[in-house]
Each structure stands twice: as C-alpha cells, then as structure tokens.
Amino acid sequence: MSSAVRAGAKAAPRPAATLPVARVAVDISLPHLDRPFEYLIPEPLGDLAEPGCRVRVRFAGRLTGGYLLGRAADSEHQGKLGYLQRVVSAEPVLTPEIAGLARAVADRYGGTLADVLRLAIPPRHAAVEAEPVSTPLANGQGADRQGADRQGAEGRAAEGRAGDEHAGPGPWASYADGPSFLAALADGRSPRAIWSALAGPRWPAEIAGATAAVRASGRGAVVVVPDARDLNRVEAALAARFPRPDYVTLAAGLGPAERYRRWLRVARGEVKIVAGPRSAMFAPVADLGLVVIWDDGDDLHAEPRAPYPHAREVLALRAHLAGAAALIGGFARTAEAEQLLARSWARPLAAERLTVRAHAPQVIAAGDDAELAHDEAARSARLPSLALRTVRAALQHGPVLFQVPRAGYLAAVGCDACRAQARCGNCGGPAWLAAPQAPLTCRWCGAEVSKLCASCGYQGLRAVATGAQRTAEELGRAFPAVPVRSSGGSRVLAQVPGSPAVVVATPGAEPVADGGYAAGILLDGAALLGRASLRAAEEALRRWMNAAALVRPGPDGGSVVVVAEAGLRAVQALVRWDPATFARRELAERAELRFPPVARMASLTGAASAVKSLLEVTELPAGAELFGPVPATGPDGATAAQPGQEPVLQYLVRAPRSAGSALALALRAGQAVRSARKEPGTVRVQLDPAEPV
C-alpha cells in the first residue's frame, strides 16, 4: 500500500474506466486557490486512487502534493483536465470526517484547507506504511488484529467485557451528575458537560472512566491535554483501564516514525482511544463518541501556526459535526467554557459544595484583615510572616510548594541609588539577570546592558522582580535543614517524594508530590494580576488553582497561602474554591464591554501598507467595528518592526458573535484578492486570539 506508483509516461494517457474525475485538495495555501481542483485519473492508477490517499499533481507547471477528496463520473470544469501524476501512497490518510472538520475549521478561522490539513495529517513515513499491520509499537503497544474480518463480533464482545469489568461510576460518584453522565455515554448518547474537577490527583482516572463508558457503547474517544506531563498521567490512568492494544498516545517526543505508526493504527480503525497534546484534536478516530479537553485555559492549547485554531474550539466543533459527547474540564473555568453553558450548548458537571470543600485545601490570603492586624508588613512583604509560619509547620509533615510567576534569577533590576529601572540603550527593553554570574542583558533584543545607571551614574543594582532561581536560593538560606528542589524552564520535574522539602516551581511546571504537598505558597500575586491582559485575573486564578490542587485536602491538614490582596475577586474565588461564580462574573463583564468570547475579534498584523490594502478590499459584515492601528509588539513586549523597515501595525476588528462566520469569510476573501493580485507583504489574520493586543 505504501509504494509510490507512477502513471505511465505515455503521449496520450487514457482515463480510468469508472469514476475517472478526481477532486483534489492541492497543498497550496494561497487563499484565492482554496478550493478543490479536478484531474483525470489515468487508467493505470484507477484501482489505486482511493479517496483520502496522497497524490501528486501538476499545478501551475510544478509537481505539487495533495489529497484525493473524491471521485466522480463527470467534471464540473468546462475546460481540459490534466492527469494525476502519481499516487504517492494508496493509504487513505484523510478520512471524510477529518476532511469535513478541516474545512469547517478553515472557515471558522478565515484560513485555508491546506493549512489545516498540515496540522491534521502528519508527514508520511514510507517505511512505516510498509510494515505489517501487527507490528508492535515502541512502548509495548501492539496490534492484536490480524485482519478486518476480526472487527466483528469478537471486538464487540471484548468491548462488552471491558464495560462489565469497569462497571460503576468510580470516582465520578463524587459528582452530583457524574453517574448519569457515564450512563449516558455507555448508552450511546452524547451529553456535553463543562466539568469542574475536584482538587487532587484523581482527574486522570476520571477521564479514563469517561473513556471506558463511551467504549462500552462501541464508540471512540479523543483526549487532549496541555503537555507531556499531563499526557503521562492520563496514559497511566488509561493503562489501568484498558489493555495496551486498545489505546495510543500521540506526542511529538515519540519521533516521526513512531508517531506516524501510532497515527496509522488510529486511521486504520485498529484503535479507538487516542490521547495527546494539541495535535491530537485531529486524530482520525472512527465512530467518535467523546472528545475531552483538560485545562482548556492553558495557552498550549492555542496552535501557533495558521490558521491558529484553539483545541477547545476545534473539539467543540468536532463534537457538533460528529454528534459526539464533549467533556471540557479543569480545576478553573474559562469565560469561553462559561459561555457554552450560557448558550445551553453544555451543562455543568460539578460536585456539591461539601464535597468540594472536603477535597480542596484551606486557602488563606496573606493580605486579609485578620493577618494585617497581626503583621502590618503583610500587605507589602514578598514573603509575609503567615507564609513563613505555614512553611515551618508544614515541613514537619511533608514537602512545601512555592509557585513563583517569573523564571530566571532577577526578572527585572534597577538602580540601588535612584530606583530607576535598568533598560537597554538600544531598544529600551527591560534588563534582567538570567543567573547569578550572568551579564546584565536585555529581555527584548538580548544585547548586554551596562550596569551604570543612565539616570544618576550609580553602578549598584537592586532586585525589582525576583525570579524562581533567586527565590530558591533565598529559601535555601531560610530553611537550611531541608533540600530545595527547582522545577521550571528546561528542567521540569514530574514528581517529588513525600519527604520534607522545599519545591520552587514556575506556573505549569509544578511536580506532583507523593501523597500531596503539606502546604503551598503562591508568591507575587500582584505580578500575575497586574499583567496587561484581558485574561489576567482568569489566568491568575487558573494557575493558582492548578498549583493548590496538588496540596493535600484541608481536612488532612493541607493549606495554601496566596500572597495577594484579599479583597480581589480572583483571590476570593480561590479562597472559596469557586471558579464557577468567578467565570460567570467574568463573562458578564465581558458581555457589557463586548469583549471576547461574547463578540468575535480578529487581529490583523503586518506591514502598514499591506494591512491597509487588506482593509480596502475587505467588505466587513454589518456591525463590525475597526480599532487601530497600534504598533505591533511581540510576546515579550518588544516592537515587531525592525530599524529602517516599514512599521508593523496591528488592527482589531470586532463583530457580533452572530456575524463571526461572516467576518472570517470576509477576511479570507480579502486575503484572496491580495494573493490573486500578488500584492507584496504578508498580513497575519488571527480570529479570536488569546491576547488581542
């Protein structure tokens, strides 16, 4: 199936006898060519050119790859048709469901089908395609199937046995509607839920329980998690539920050959349970019955390549198109998930308040009135006395987690005399120290920065913002009797023992402790809440809850201290462990201001002349509003334009949600006009960006 078959080099090839016209999605990202093209299938390729296979065609005088979408008896094109040059592989890698999903994603985000298919289908590995179907996988997973004829009664009987073996709601019994949710999955129905997970380490087992329920109905499941650490935990939970051949995990770390081998097993229908990071959202699972996304607010779920889709939106769209169930879960709740509840697209899935409190740690704000009465410095101290008392008491019973928002040693420095912040003389960016003996450098351009203060001439430096490395150094001096472990950057710990220790981690890099942490200290709350971002409070609460969920429950002595102003809404939501109320208020405020997700927003970024040209040829839908321009900046705040070049500008276009599809199609049409005219300059069009500015 994997060998390339070339069409015979004949002067006058003959078309195939049956269905000779091929509709091909050519791998070209130009917007004005975003449509299927028709080719004739030469007679020698008639039996090999199956829908979904990879082909090579001649387009604009060049050989180009593509996918065969379908075959027809007659052509809609009035002119002369060219012939397929070859079938690269007869393996049908593009299923009808994924082809329809890719088209819908491209339309939703104003992109092209070719761009989405590059995200959905991994590069071909010819040697893997040539392997026998039963070749074992690298982690011991192997195909138990000898042929398609064994996919009948034996498979259904095995599914029934698996369902009987894991009968009962298990950990889902702790949720008010958990048993009924599993029952609906097992009965072949498709419920949709926004899941507020209980604090603690059980969420991978709960995801595995939901996949077991949907497999009992004979259907498949796709599980998407933010990163490799979460994937390892989900894989362990799936291994406890299913035999090895019944599931696969997909991750870039597997290598191209092994990842393609596993992906092929899914595409061939041998496996119906897939777990992986963002790219797994397009896994071609047959008979899809459930899509799951964990921690949908994590920015790793946002695809950085065009057309920049978000895994949550893709999976929700896929559930809608396939009639599948959906489970969107996390410890916190995003405004987008709350909007799905407000639109009655999904229902909440949460535990009763008494159960929530029994699983969550006790959370105390260092800046509350009671603490300020005892310690007036608690409002401004980076490590107030409450945190120190909590750490000393907790170290008698186990490890203590410190979450530090900033990586590095000193994230910002200033003059020790006049307090002016040190900045780069070239670009004006902030200066920082990456390590104790490292030179002072610019965070934006990387240039070395002089320690001589530009304002007063003094050479002494002071810390303005302390990073995780410096925090670990200070805590090592404060608690010399216990080891200090750091997790973050290129060195992320997956797990730490349950013995007394101080663990310093950046958000998202917190390791799991055996038996849970005895306490958690969430430092520098003002740094998270003070970010210039629409999602600053939502993201701060998400990071806090993810870290606090690793701490032992309050009834078992677990406690968390958040160093932030106690009266702030995000802090109060953490103290009460109530992300639902926070999300409702967040969504209500955004609705009043007409911010996403209530409205749809498009970001247009590029050279000034290119963006203006796009706006001139784009007919925006009724109700759309244009904002800008403003100078475009990178993720670190650096200006995107280079010296001597045309300025890079950003515009924002806002439209009512009802006009969101029209906005995406209008922007793509404008891009098509520019590409057809071969106008210079590239404009990045991004719908619903996580950070509009």
Side-chain angles (χ1 to χ4, degrees):
M1 293 177 62
S2 64
S3 61
V5 181
R6 295 181 179 274
K10 298 180 181 180
R14 297 175 57 186
T18 59
L19 302 178
V21 179
R23 296 178 64 251
V24 178
V26 183
D27 188 14
I28 295 178
S29 296
L30 295 175
H32 72 287
L33 300 176
D34 183 33
R35 63 184 186 276
F37 289 86
E38 291 181 336
Y39 290 84
L40 288 176
I41 302 173
E43 193 173 38
L45 302 182
D47 294 335
L48 295 171
E50 293 293 331
C53 70
R54 304 177 199 255
V55 297
R56 296 281 283 178
V57 298
R58 191 165 295 279
F59 193 92
R62 297 182 180 181
L63 281 178
T64 307
Y67 299 94
L68 199 158
L69 298 177
R71 296 177 60 164
D74 300 308
S75 171
E76 298 178 359
H77 181 63
Q78 300 300 320
K80 183 179 179 181
L81 296 182
Y83 280 86
L84 291 184
Q85 294 299 302
R86 63 170 168 153
V87 173
V88 177
S89 168
E91 187 81 47
V93 294
L94 179 59
T95 65
E97 191 239 340
I98 297 303
L101 174 65
R103 181 71 270 171
V105 170
D107 291 344
R108 189 188 192 286
Y109 286 95
T112 64
L113 178 64
D115 282 338
V116 179
L117 291 180
R118 290 193 192 109
L119 304 177
I121 302 177
R124 178 175 180 251
H125 201 285
V128 171
E129 285 187 359
E131 294 173 350
V133 174
S134 58
T135 298
L137 299 181
N139 69 348
Q141 296 177 346
D144 187 37
R145 171 184 159 199
Q146 299 299 321
D149 56 338
R150 297 187 58 186
Q151 287 276 326
E154 291 182 16
R156 288 190 294 270
E159 292 167 6
R161 288 194 297 270
D164 292 339
E165 180 184 354
H166 300 291
W172 285 103
S174 300
Y175 298 86
D177 295 323
S180 60
F181 180 76
L182 295 190
L185 293 176
D187 290 344
R189 289 175 282 161
S190 300
R192 298 166 182 165
I194 304 300
W195 168 36
S196 296
L198 291 169
R202 304 189 319 169
W203 64 267
E206 291 164 351
I207 289 177
T211 59
V214 80
R215 283 301 290 131
S217 69
R219 298 177 295 168
V222 171
V223 179
V224 175
V225 295
D227 54 32
R229 293 191 312 139
D230 289 333
L231 181 58
N232 291 336
R233 297 175 67 184
V234 169
E235 183 177 14
L238 291 174
R241 280 275 188 174
F242 302 98
R244 285 289 186 182
D246 285 359
Y247 70 91
V248 294
T249 58
L250 301 176
L254 295 170
E258 179 60 25
R259 185 174 184 272
Y260 191 58
R261 182 178 294 112
R262 299 186 182 192
W263 187 89
L264 275 182
R265 288 194 60 204
V266 179
R268 291 168 177 170
E270 299 171 15
V271 180
K272 287 190 175 182
I273 300 175
V274 177
R278 179 181 62 239
S279 59
M281 61 188 172
F282 291 109
V285 173
D287 301 320
L288 184 65
L290 174 67
V291 297
V292 181
I293 183 169
W294 172 255
D295 196 12
D296 66 295
D298 196 306
D299 56 9
L300 291 176
H301 286 305
E303 174 59 56
R305 293 171 292 176
Y308 320 108
H310 193 284
R312 176 191 55 245
E313 305 304 320
V314 172
L315 290 177
L317 183 60
R318 189 172 183 183
H320 171 72
L321 294 175
L327 183 61
I328 300 174
F331 298 120
R333 182 181 294 178
T334 61
E336 286 77 8
E338 182 64 28
Q339 189 189 40
L340 293 177
L341 293 175
R343 293 165 49 199
S344 299
W345 187 88
R347 296 185 58 184
L349 184 55
E352 301 290 347
R353 287 301 302 170
L354 290 178
T355 306
V356 171
R357 296 310 308 173
H359 285 78
Q362 180 188 19
V363 182
I364 306 172
D368 64 12
D369 293 340
E371 185 59 28
L372 290 174
H374 293 88
D375 180 12
E376 294 183 359
R379 191 185 303 275
S380 58
R382 184 166 187 259
L383 194 63
S385 60
L386 171 63
L388 292 172
R389 296 195 307 269
T390 302
V391 173
R392 293 191 185 101
L395 284 174
Q396 304 299 317
H397 307 287
V400 175
L401 173 66
F402 282 81
Q403 185 193 71
V404 183
R406 304 179 181 94
Y409 191 70
L410 293 180
V413 297
C415 175
D416 196 28
C418 70
R419 299 298 195 263
Q421 184 173 351
R423 291 194 171 273
C424 174
N426 296 327
C427 67
W432 76 309
L433 281 174
Q437 304 303 321
L440 192 65
T441 57
C442 174
R443 294 187 70 97
W444 289 0
C445 67
E448 189 167 344
V449 178
S450 172
K451 295 183 179 180
L452 187 69
C453 178
S455 299
C456 68
Y458 190 72
Q459 281 195 328
L461 297 176
R462 62 183 291 271
V464 174
T466 304
Q469 188 177 350
R470 174 64 176 268
T471 302
E473 182 182 286
E474 294 174 349
L475 291 173
R477 292 194 294 265
F479 303 99
V482 296
V484 177
R485 298 183 172 92
S486 297
S487 179
S490 60
R491 187 174 179 272
V492 177
L493 305 177
Q495 197 162 4
V496 295
S499 56
V502 170
V503 179
V504 180
T506 52
E510 301 91 346
V512 177
D514 294 337
Y517 290 97
I521 310 297
L522 310 176
L523 293 177
D524 302 333
L528 284 178
L529 294 168
R531 294 187 308 123
S533 168
L534 173 67
R535 302 176 181 272
E538 177 183 281
E539 179 66 6
L541 179 60
R542 187 189 70 83
R543 294 183 178 186
W544 288 340
M545 296 191 77
N546 285 354
L550 301 174
V551 179
R552 298 167 188 169
D556 295 341
S559 59
V560 172
V561 175
V562 54
V563 184
E565 181 65 41
L568 297 176
R569 188 194 309 164
V571 177
Q572 283 301 305
L574 178 66
V575 170
R576 299 191 308 271
W577 206 267
D578 186 12
T581 301
F582 175 86
R584 281 194 294 271
R585 295 187 62 183
E586 182 79 6
L587 182 63
E589 288 190 354
R590 295 192 194 182
E592 185 176 353
L593 299 171
R594 291 187 294 162
F595 282 169
V598 177
R600 293 204 66 187
M601 191 83 76
S603 170
L604 315 179
T605 307
S609 59
V611 181
K612 292 177 181 177
S613 171
L614 173 61
L615 290 172
E616 289 174 358
V617 299
T618 300
E619 295 184 10
L620 297 176
E625 302 171 88
L626 182 65
F627 302 97
V630 296
T633 58
D636 55 4
T639 302
Q642 299 297 321
Q645 295 183 354
E646 186 178 7
V648 179
L649 302 180
Q650 180 186 23
Y651 285 83
L652 293 177
V653 183
R654 181 173 65 186
R657 191 157 194 89
S658 59
S661 297
L663 173 63
L665 296 178
L667 290 172
R668 186 173 64 195
Q671 289 277 62
V673 171
R674 294 194 69 248
S675 67
R677 294 175 178 175
K678 298 182 179 180
E679 294 187 4
T682 301
V683 180
R684 173 185 169 123
V685 176
Q686 187 172 5
L687 273 293
D688 303 324
E691 298 293 346
V693 179

